[in-house]
Amino acid sequence: MRSIIFGLGNPGNYYANTRHNLGFAVLDELATRWGIEFKPGWGDFMIAKSNDDVVLIKPMTFMNRSGNAVLQFRDKHQENDKIMVVY
């Protein structure tokens, strides 16, 4: 079963290295450890796939819109697998 991990944060430099981007930082660390890269995905998402088992996703929306982004991705791709959100 595939696991999808969403890391939430705010795009741009203004919030870089702040608590507002902790979700992005956690996913960046996982990507580094697993030797994978983020690439633009469908819509406003950056996606990194380690294999068919784990997908890392960073919505490029602000935190107050991130719930909509997660639901949009789930509905578009009909993902009903395990979803974790890091914020």
Side-chain angles (χ1 to χ4, degrees):
M1 181 180 296
R2 178 170 41 189
S3 296
I4 301 170
I5 304 173
F6 284 90
L8 306 185
N10 288 321
N13 292 328
Y14 185 78
Y15 292 100
N17 301 315
T18 69
R19 62 186 173 91
H20 299 282
N21 278 3
L22 185 60
F24 284 0
V26 169
L27 264 59
D28 288 341
E29 179 63 26
L30 290 174
T32 298
R33 288 181 183 205
W34 295 341
I36 57 178
E37 292 182 26
F38 280 95
K39 298 178 182 173
W42 171 81
D44 291 330
F45 298 95
M46 296 296 290
I47 299 176
K49 296 180 182 181
S50 65
N51 51 41
D52 290 334
D53 294 330
V54 179
V55 179
L56 306 178
I57 301 174
K58 297 192 290 187
M60 294 290 106
T61 57
F62 286 92
M63 288 289 287
N64 58 346
R65 302 274 184 203
S66 59
N68 293 334
V70 171
L71 291 176
Q72 179 185 23
F73 185 91
R74 184 201 66 189
D75 293 346
K76 170 74 174 170
H77 296 281
Q78 299 179 359
E79 294 291 347
N80 294 313
D81 298 339
K82 294 181 180 180
I83 296 176
M84 177 188 295
V85 178
V86 180
Y87 61 95

